[in-house]
Structures are given as structure tokens and as C-alpha cells.
Amino acid sequence: MSEEKRKDAVQVTVEFSGGLEMLFEHQRKLQISMAKKGEEVPNVAELVSHLCNDVMKDSRKDLFVLDGTVRPGILVLINDADWELEGEDQYELQEGDNILFVSTLHGG
Amino acid sequence: MTTVSVVESLRQQIATCETQLGYLRQQLAEAEHLQQQRRLRGEESVRRTTDYDPLAHDMSYGLSDDFRSEIFAALSHAEEEQQEQSVQRWPLDRTEYKRYGRQLIMPEIGLQGQLRLKNASVLIVGVGGLGCPAAAYLVGAGVGTVGLVDGDVVEESNLHRQILHSTPRIGMTKVDSARVALNSLNPNVRLISHPTRLSPESAIATFQPYDLVLDCTDTPASRYLISDTCVLLGKPLVSASALRTDGQLMVLNNPPRAKGDGSGGPCYRCVFPKPPPPESVVSCGDGGILGPVVGVMGVLQALEAIKVITAEQPGVNGNSVRPTPADSPSLLIFSAYANPMFRSIRLRARKPKCAACSTQASVTPDALNSGSLDYVQFCGSINPVNTLSANERISVDNYAKIRMEVNPFTGMEPSRDSHILVDVREKVQFDLCSLDGSINIPFSTVSSVLTKEASEVESKWASELRSHSDKPIFVLCRLGNDSQLTVKRMKELGLDNGGQRWIGDIKGGLRAWRENVDNDFPEY
């Protein structure tokens, strides 16, 4: 809990929907702490690479990240808004942000 | 399908059609009866007039025949006029007041809303898990014309969710089956059949006569095609999808403004400019689907369609009604096992460089009509896995011999203990039905990465297999793809002792096993 108060890190909630949770051991919601590098605040791009490299245990990495960014067919939502409204992967994380990754579904 | 089941299916279809015919005959009899009654009542009222009216008395007994017939003609003309008046007197038919009464009294619908529904035509592409409930509610609500597009026939595995179809109609086209159900729900709605798969060449001509389109299909290729066609023709699109326990809903191209007009609603390409990699696309057949989940999404599509159709039209002063924040583009996410179940996400506006709805669009009517836009290629497709060499694979027939006869390769006597049979389907599927003596190591376990924390868990299955290093390993799955990848993975982990031990996959998986060896093995 002391980590939450740390000033050198940003705490965010990460959520998965549309089947992406299956790549993260069926966890729908994670609390992630992203360290600050001095004054530099981590952005969504860094969060994505942290999730892919350190958190994700499934070997099928390309179902989450492709060509260095979130693969086509996944919407990234920052506090319930499309990340395109917030500066995409350059958005700087703020304490308590909710980042939702939604895989599009095609069944019908 | 075996001949027996074809015969049975045909018998059932005939029975269904006969039931439907009987129903129509009954309706006809009732209608004729009603007509007869009206005619009798009409004659009676004339007779009553003749009997009790003083004028009629005069006409019958005191006036000349010529004059009497003139009066009769005038009277009957007046009556006709009155009847005509009663037709025009109310904007809706009396039966419509009754049928739609519960929605008519709502301010969201009212008389104008009902008239808009009656004058509207909606195209439903895909008459499956989404299309069935959507069509039922739109037909029930009195949408004037409903078009149905689907090239498939009803299958038994559809019935848990595709609520317009029924057991006796297995084998019938989905469009015909839906028509039977919808016609009996509300015979006042004009139903139009398009019993073929939508193609780029036919899309524009098919969509043209309709006001609004519902995307109830199940592939990325059809979703791009439908969105592009709606943009080209300026029609709003209600798009939904569902898989397992999740669903998604968007109202796209609403309002459907001209290309490049930023005040128009985004299209599917604005939200998803690039298609997902084909290996990430999971169908309901592979991933599963819970009936009420896809049902909820289809019902929501009908609801959004009703909202779009009955929305206030541009005001008399030419002031169009501005979209309220609630109308700004959004994606509704439904997760049956999450709390809360519904979540609404704000979507982007139109993309300034969108390939479909911007001024730089490359999607044009000519490109679509000529078939030069290949949506299947755009979205890609997965080739069946073929990563193993021939001597790493065994057919189901040969594997059956190993189980029941002498091993053709090693000359070993048949025995369950002579080898290890690994079934890599997920546990839930393994629990449904499995081959005797097989052990379950789910593909998700096999494919998870070896990290420090996970190594202990993983080593359990790997070390278990290592401890019987003399026995060959046969890997089996549902269709024969995951089994090949598992063989590769096991060899990477060195379970084959540098080639000392045979590890291979059973070609075609349990589907081939059922088809070639054991017809009794359940199909799911």
C-alpha cells in the first residue's frame, strides 16, 4: 500500500475486455504501478510495452502488440474515451487513470 | 448429413410448411367471415332504414319506382362517402391502434413516431444470433418494410440463440425460416428476402431501397463492406457483435452527412482503420457464445434503430436538431460477467483521412461495383496450420490401429500404456467428451511463457511427460491445428530427448476421429 503513495510512481487501473483478458490469465482488472524517470511521466506507450514484456505470460504477444504498438482491432480507452481523443500513446499517465483495452468482437 | 437425416429434415420442413399453410387458411377463413359479416351488417342497416324510417316507408309504399331508386342511389353514395371518410378519419388503421397501443402512448413514439416506423424500411444483414431478435422487435414494432440478407441454412447448433428459427426448420434457409416466424408475429410488415451472401458487387443495389441498415454479421470482411456501402449511400448503420460473454454496439455514420463533413458520424473505418490480424479473430463456433448475450445485443440494435427512425426530423425552420452529448458517437460494451455489465465509451469523430468517409476516400461506388475491392483479402485469412513434417504426423486411422492393433511403425502390441495421448483442448471441452486414457494439457498452458514464477507450474506437465521418456507422445485437439503447434513446442522444450522419443500430432483432430473412426464421438 505504501507504493500507492510513492511520488516516484504512477498508479493506474488497467482493464481488459473482449477476450484480451484471456492473454492475461483471465484477469479483467489489474493495478499497475509505473515508475517515473525523474521528472519524466510514463506514457501509454510505455505502459503497453510494460504490459507486453513484463505482465503478459501468454507467448502469443502478437495478439496484443504488433509493430511496436497495440495491434489493429484493439481499442485503447483512457478514462472511458477513445485514446485518439487524448493524444494516443503519447498520453502521459496520471494517478488513478483507467486504461481499458478492448478487443473488437466479430461474432454474431 | 446422412440420407436418413435429410429425409427426416425434409419431412419436418413439409410438416412446418403444412402448419403454416393451415395457419394461412385459417386466417383467410377468418378474413372471409369478417367480410361476410360486414356485408350482412350493411344490408341489414339498409333494411332497417327501409323498415323503420318514415322516409323509407314513403319510399317503399308511396313513391314512384324511379324516384325511389334515385334516393337509394343517393343514400348508398352518402354511405360510401361516410365509409371513405372513416378510412381517412384516423391516421392509423384501427387494428394498428390496438397492436401498437402500448408504444403509441409513449412520448418517445407517439403518432408521428409510429408513422415514421410504418414508412421506414430497414435492412438486416445476417439472420443469426443478432439478426433474429433485432428482426423480431422491429417487425413487432411495425417497421413498414424489413429486408433480410443471409445465405446460410438453419443448423441445429444455431437454435440456442437464433430465436426465429425452430427445430422443424433445420435445413431451411435462414431467410425463409425467419419469414415464417416474422409473418406470424406481424403480418402487416412487408418482408423482403435476399437469400444470398452479401458481396461487394451486390451491396449497393441491395442497400439502395432501405433507410437504415443493421450489421448482424460475423466476420470483419462483411463489417467493412457493410460500413463502406452505408457511407457511399448515406445510410445510418447500427452495428453489433458478440462473443462468449461479451457484446459491443455502435451506431455509425449517424447522421450520415456528405464525405468530408466532420459533423457526420464516424464510420467503421474511422474507428478501425486497419483490420485485426486474422489469427486474432475468433468465431462463435470456436470461442463459444451464450444465447442471451448475443440476444441482448440484437435487441439493443432494434432499440437503436427505433431511436434513429423516430428521431425528430429537421425542424420547420430548417433548424436541425443538434445531437445531444448522449448522441455523440459511442461504443457500448456489454460484459455479462463484469460489474457493471454495461459501459459506454466515447468514440472519436470522423477521421479526417478515412478511406471511406473523408474527401480523400478511396472507397468509391465504382470500386465496389466492379469488385476491385477485395474485402476478404483486406482482412486476410488464416491458413490451416501445417508446420510439421509428414513423419511427425499420423492419420486417425493409423492411430486407431495403434489403439486397437499392432503399431505399424514399432510393431508394438496394442496397449493404452504403450504411449501417451495428450489432448490439448481447453479443460471445459475435455470434460465434455474425451478418448479413454488421454490426459489433458490445455493449449493455453502449453503456450504460456516460461517465466521464473510460472516455471514451477509449467514444469509439472513437462516433468510429468519427461518422467516417461520411453513412451511416444501423440497430441490431439479439436481440429488438428493446436496439436501441431504443441508438438513443436514440446520439441523446443526438449521433451523428445533430442529425437530419441517420437512426438507427433493426430491429423485432423477429434473431428477426423469422429468422421473416420468413431461416429459416436459427440460433435459440438
Side-chain angles (χ1 to χ4, degrees):
Chain A
M1 279 294 127
S2 63
E3 216 180 358
E4 250 177 72
K5 301 281 178 199
R6 271 167 50 186
K7 284 189 178 161
D8 54 348
V10 184
Q11 283 277 332
V12 295
T13 303
V14 171
E15 291 186 78
F16 302 106
S17 173
L20 284 177
E21 64 277 8
M22 297 170 84
L23 299 177
F24 291 87
E25 299 172 292
H26 296 272
Q27 299 176 96
R28 284 181 177 273
K29 206 182 239 186
L30 299 173
Q31 296 298 327
I32 300 283
S33 179
M34 292 290 290
K36 289 181 190 171
K37 288 177 215 139
E39 287 303 300
E40 232 175 274
V41 181
N43 59 24
V44 175
E46 289 163 62
L47 173 69
V48 168
S49 70
H50 171 62
L51 287 171
C52 181
N53 298 330
D54 310 324
V55 181
M56 185 175 170
K57 288 178 183 140
D58 200 293
S59 62
R60 295 169 291 175
K61 304 278 185 190
D62 51 357
L63 291 185
F64 185 55
V65 169
L66 207 61
D67 301 328
T69 187
V70 173
R71 73 155 166 83
I74 294 180
L75 282 181
V76 186
L77 302 146
I78 299 170
N79 299 323
D80 283 351
D82 194 330
W83 74 343
E84 305 220 13
L85 300 168
E86 309 284 345
E88 297 197 35
D89 63 356
Q90 294 307 305
Y91 171 85
E92 294 185 342
L93 295 172
Q94 290 171 37
E95 185 69 25
D97 272 349
N98 179 293
I99 315 293
L100 170 63
F101 296 90
V102 186
S103 172
T104 45
L105 308 173
H106 300 95
Chain B
M1 210 189 267
T2 60
T3 333
V4 181
S5 62
V6 170
V7 168
E8 190 50 35
S9 163
L10 286 171
R11 278 207 188 105
Q12 283 174 340
Q13 283 181 50
I14 290 168
T16 311
C17 291
E18 276 171 352
T19 313
Q20 182 68 7
L21 204 60
Y23 173 71
L24 287 172
R25 285 209 180 95
Q26 193 188 331
Q27 278 187 312
L28 176 66
E30 279 170 14
E32 283 175 341
H33 178 67
L34 209 66
Q35 199 180 29
Q36 180 79 8
Q37 274 186 329
R38 278 194 190 136
R39 199 179 296 140
L40 283 175
R41 263 207 300 274
E43 281 169 12
E44 209 172 281
S45 72
V46 172
R47 229 188 350 261
R48 262 209 302 272
T49 320
T50 329
D51 285 345
Y52 301 110
D53 197 322
L55 173 66
H57 184 269
D58 284 350
M59 280 170 52
S60 300
Y61 302 110
L63 298 174
S64 73
D65 276 6
D66 284 352
F67 184 60
R68 194 169 63 188
S69 49
E70 255 184 63
I71 296 277
F72 257 118
L75 278 175
S76 66
H77 186 64
E79 200 181 332
E80 263 172 36
E81 231 171 32
Q82 214 174 6
Q83 267 178 358
E84 260 172 45
Q85 237 176 16
S86 82
V87 168
Q88 289 172 349
R89 191 167 166 197
W90 312 109
L92 293 169
D93 194 74
R94 264 190 300 178
T95 60
E96 292 175 303
Y97 279 96
K98 257 203 175 140
R99 180 181 283 264
Y100 308 121
R102 299 294 187 275
Q103 67 189 39
L104 278 170
I105 58 175
M106 294 175 55
E108 289 81 359
I109 305 295
L111 177 64
Q112 285 314 310
Q114 192 63 49
L115 289 171
R116 284 188 191 119
L117 287 171
K118 193 178 176 178
N119 290 324
S121 55
V122 175
L123 183 67
I124 298 175
V125 189
V127 193
L130 294 166
C132 283
Y137 277 100
L138 290 178
V139 165
V143 168
T145 303
V146 172
L148 305 166
V149 184
D150 203 310
D152 289 345
V153 296
V154 178
E155 291 176 25
E156 197 165 8
S157 64
N158 300 149
L159 298 177
H160 82 290
R161 66 190 190 282
Q162 304 186 9
I163 55 168
L164 291 179
H165 310 312
S166 63
T167 309
R169 295 205 288 269
I170 291 168
M172 196 186 269
T173 67
K174 286 190 178 177
V175 167
D176 281 343
S177 168
R179 281 189 74 119
V180 174
L182 294 171
N183 190 55
S184 108
L185 174 63
N186 188 352
N188 306 309
V189 174
R190 191 166 149 245
L191 299 171
I192 299 180
S193 297
H194 305 276
T196 50
R197 206 172 176 77
L198 191 70
S199 71
E201 294 87 343
S202 68
I204 288 182
T206 307
F207 284 29
Q208 194 87 64
Y210 296 92
D211 303 319
L212 177 81
V213 178
L214 265 56
D215 184 347
C216 302
T217 64
D218 58 0
T219 65
S222 56
R223 293 188 181 277
Y224 282 100
L225 169 60
I226 290 167
S227 173
D228 288 351
T229 311
C230 283
V231 167
L232 289 174
L233 297 174
K235 298 182 193 299
L237 169 63
V238 183
S239 181
S241 57
L243 184 69
R244 301 191 184 99
T245 60
D246 291 358
Q248 293 166 0
L249 173 80
M250 290 183 285
V251 182
L252 297 166
N253 199 36
N254 184 44
R257 301 270 155 78
K259 278 186 181 181
D261 183 340
S263 67
C267 73
Y268 195 77
R269 277 187 199 267
C270 295
V271 185
F272 301 110
K274 284 189 206 163
E279 60 274 17
S280 73
V281 177
V282 183
S283 70
C284 292
D286 291 336
I289 178 71
L290 205 52
V293 168
V294 68
V296 161
M297 301 319 293
V299 171
L300 286 171
Q301 279 184 288
L303 177 60
E304 290 297 345
I306 289 172
K307 280 162 69 182
V308 171
I309 294 165
T310 59
E312 288 288 328
Q313 304 298 307
V316 274
N317 308 326
N319 305 328
S320 61
V321 178
R322 284 172 198 284
T324 59
D327 294 325
S328 67
S330 65
L331 165 71
L332 184 70
I333 299 176
F334 173 67
S335 290
Y337 286 79
N339 189 14
M341 283 198 260
F342 286 98
R343 194 157 170 181
S344 185
I345 302 300
R346 271 185 305 130
L347 282 181
R348 54 162 310 132
R350 276 189 177 180
K351 198 178 170 81
K353 289 183 178 173
C354 177
C357 69
S358 72
T359 45
Q360 303 169 36
S362 56
V363 175
T364 63
D366 284 345
L368 208 61
N369 281 328
S370 68
S372 68
L373 285 170
D374 190 336
Y375 287 85
V376 175
Q377 196 192 20
F378 173 63
C379 293
S381 54
I382 337 171
N383 297 319
V385 177
N386 200 358
T387 109
L388 300 180
S389 62
N391 57 16
E392 295 173 290
R393 313 198 66 187
I394 182 170
S395 68
V396 286
D397 300 284
N398 281 336
Y399 178 66
K401 283 179 191 156
I402 290 174
R403 278 174 81 90
M404 294 151 210
E405 298 166 27
V406 174
N407 185 331
F409 300 128
T410 63
M412 259 194 287
E413 288 297 314
S415 160
R416 291 280 149 74
D417 291 337
S418 70
H419 65 276
I420 302 169
L421 177 61
V422 176
D423 186 331
V424 293
R425 292 174 299 155
E426 294 307 307
K427 183 178 184 298
V428 63
Q429 292 187 44
F430 183 77
D431 289 345
L432 295 177
C433 47
S434 61
L435 293 186
D436 284 346
S438 59
I439 61 165
N440 185 218
I441 306 174
F443 185 64
S444 59
T445 306
V446 175
S447 58
S448 59
V449 193
L450 261 173
T451 58
K452 276 174 193 163
E453 312 90 76
S455 61
E456 274 178 34
V457 187
E458 266 191 1
S459 65
K460 266 184 199 164
W461 67 266
S463 66
E464 182 73 28
L465 290 176
R466 265 197 193 96
S467 68
H468 303 281
S469 60
D470 53 322
K471 292 180 183 174
I473 300 175
F474 295 82
V475 184
L476 179 72
C477 66
R478 191 178 178 190
L479 303 172
N481 293 326
D482 289 350
S483 56
Q484 294 181 58
L485 300 173
T486 304
V487 168
K488 247 184 127 180
R489 177 110 182 106
M490 286 178 171
K491 292 192 173 177
E492 280 165 14
L493 291 172
L495 293 177
D496 62 340
N497 302 328
Q500 297 284 301
R501 162 178 30 201
W502 190 85
I503 302 179
D505 101 300
I506 298 174
K507 277 189 270 182
L510 286 162
R511 179 167 64 185
W513 181 262
R514 178 179 53 253
E515 283 166 3
N516 294 3
V517 179
D518 181 5
N519 290 330
D520 199 38
F521 194 84
E523 181 180 5
Y524 61 87

